[in-house]
Amino acid sequence: MLKLNMKKTTRQSLVTYAIVIIAFVVFQLLSSFGALSNLIEGQLVNLCLYAILAVSLNLVVGISGELSLGHAGFMCIGAFTSAFFSKICTDTIGNDFLRFLIAMVIGTFFAALVGFLIAIPVLRLRGDYLAIVTLAFGQIIMTLINSMYVGIDKNGLHISFSSESALHLEPGTSPIINGSQGITGTPSIDSDYRFFVSILFLLLTLAVSYHFINSRTGRAVMSIRDNRIAAESVGLNVTKYKILTFTIASAFAGLAGAIFSHNIPTLVATTKNFGYDKSIMILVFVVLGGIGSVRGSMIAAALLTLLPELLRSLTFLPDGIRTFVSENRMLIYAVILIVVMIFSNSPRFVEIRARLKAFFRRGTKKEAV
Amino acid sequence: MKMNLKRMIALILCVVICGALFSSCGAADSDSTTIRIGGIGPLTGSNAQYGNAVKNAAELAVKEINEAGGINGVKLSFNMQDDESDTEKAVNAYNALKDWGMQISLGCVTTDPCKAIVPSTAEDNIFLLTPSASSEDILKDNDNCFQVCFTDPNQGTASAQYIAEHKLAQKIAVIYDNSNSYSTGIFNNFAKEAEAQGLEIVASEAFTADKKTDFSVQVSKAKSSGADLLFLPIYYTEASLILKECDAQGYTPTVFGCDGLDGLLSVENFDTSLAEGVILLTPFAADATDEATQKFVKAYKDAYDGETPNQFAADAYDAIYAIKAALEQSGRTVGTTAADSTGENDADLINGSTSASDICEAMKTGITKIQFDGVTGEGMTWDKNGAVSKEPKAMKIVDGAYTAM
């Protein structure tokens, strides 16, 4: 009975949390029984961080209706600022957990700060122009970090944009950010706890997203998306709401970046990691999951991250087919993407989905009676 | 009907995904008759050339070994996974190979992905012998990683030694790319060793990746410094421009480079006569006339539609044979059953059922004991640290072809 009294939005968010928690419990159980392949175990943290990225981009693309192609740029800022912090505080903060948490906060904060600064000029643009500027921003961040050399010795901080030797570090000290070779050996928490912590961060992201969307502010943002002029006419401050949404989204992208940088041994600002490819990939998650749907973005991110890796090792298939699938996995992945896109938007499929929904609804009603 | 079809598809997809999730159970077919070697490299994307060369050559070597009866009857099997030259994908590929039951790793083809998996291999204690990831960082803080190629700084030292030993020149000018770790790595060590060898570096001119089209300033400085040898620790595209500029200024020093110059003769619109007399320190040239190289090049061409193997292929080919040699010298016997055939698997045996960590321990001693003749060098030896020591081979471009010196 409790269920019926609940608001629809509350129920929705609770279902999403339940999915995350159940997924966590299932994976943990499997992992403790040793039933999970190494490949999947290595993917668990990535699943969470891509889900965080997709859910946060969904705020910009789905809720405020702006097309941003620079999401990976914010991830990059979060990754590098947090890894930088962890590196310089390796000795001063002995507690791994404490250092990790502060690094996460720092990554989130700096990404939010940059997001805020970028949003002020950029959100005056609309549509295609916004997409192009955010795209350029992502590339600029990456190029900047790629040409940056930063080191610390007893004389203080050295920064150079030309070469490692131009830093003039004391002999025996190696730079922290070494240009295009990035940051190596970021200290992190024990890998056994990373999945758990990432799940907590994912839950946090979901909670903030749901609260934001269902709040007065969220409704204001959506009304701007649906009709800007009408929204302005009732006195909504368009710029303020847009900047707010953009900043929150960048903050979570920064958080995802921070998790990312603490989960890999070498952090390099390559196009693969933080470039255009990555931004588009996150956008694909959002679009496939259904623009505006928090749960959809999350599930799409998780499935699409797992899929190409799963195709690597379908061990139950006969050898010949397995090799074929493994070698052509990027092709198969693309075909699956196209098929899913077509299916999820075809009128027939939509009809079937509606029927299924009706079917389940009837079922629950009967139960309720 | 329609609904049924959809349900079927949904069901099949569910089964496939579930199956893949649990694929680790019983996936690693611990068949004692084959030792499983895993390789990782870019098979797709912009560096795909490198990865495919390694894959082809390693498969060729494995096939040859197996056809010759394996190692005491134990066959090798090789599985190459794609990493798109991406660090994140490399870790995934490594995990996938572990699920497959990899016992020995060929590491990654390119440096950054290799750096990404090195900590995991050290933790899992899996022996790693990379054909071509040349950074020094790969050998740091571990004892399970080894390289077939020279480390970047090593090339610099070897170049200076070679120049001094063969008395190629006394006054040297260097033009290098200071935005690139390969180039600066070589240059820094070259400068150190040159001093030790009594060579004089009269000019060292740098350029960056953003300004690599006009070399008139650098070349004229080198010319006015009176250097009789020009050292170019850079890639072949820029080298071709420098050679053109030298020609335009009428400057004719001996030109000396490292493996980055491999490929100079195939630069488009480049007058190869300008490259005449260029000496490069590269471990491998397909035109070399020694027997081992010719045999390898012929086998490779026969197997892969007449494609000429490059340096990466040669490194990988050597890596597989070095693994074989190290296994044989590991102090433990490779074989499926014990010699006295008590029926039980002797604990001392190495075969497909031996754990990767056990093999790693054996290989660590094995590889330091061998002296290995391959296509990228003769009498190759490895120290505990993982770096290879081999006689660098110098090639000279004569009549538009690489010729061994």
Side-chain angles (χ1 to χ4, degrees), chain A residues 27 30 34-40 42-43 46 50 162-163 181 260 265-266 268 272-273 278 309-310 312-316 322 326-327 329-330 343 348 352 355-356, chain B residues 2-3 6 15-17 19-25 27 44 55 81-84 86-89 92-93 95-96 98-100 112 115-117 119 137 178-179 181:
Chain A
F27 277 124
L30 285 177
L36 217 52
S37 61
N38 289 312
L39 184 65
I40 305 295
Q43 283 288 304
N46 286 350
Y50 286 123
S162 61
S163 75
Q181 294 171 57
F260 179 81
T266 326
V268 192
K272 278 267 169 53
N273 283 347
K278 196 44 97 47
E309 301 308 327
L310 286 185
R312 250 185 222 283
S313 57
L314 299 172
T315 22
F316 59 92
R322 193 184 68 206
S326 168
E327 277 174 4
R329 74 202 153 81
M330 291 323 281
F343 262 86
R348 246 189 231 163
I352 289 167
R355 237 189 286 164
L356 274 178
Chain B
K2 238 186 279 160
M3 282 288 282
K6 291 274 155 56
V15 171
V16 166
I17 289 181
L21 278 175
F22 303 114
S23 55
S24 79
C25 326
T44 57
K55 177 172 185 268
Q81 285 289 337
D82 184 19
D83 68 0
E84 302 161 39
D86 176 42
T87 48
E88 201 187 331
K89 290 281 187 310
N92 293 339
N95 283 330
K98 256 169 59 183
D99 289 334
W100 171 68
D112 284 330
K115 275 199 237 168
I117 69 158
D137 293 342
N178 70 358
S179 66
S181 66

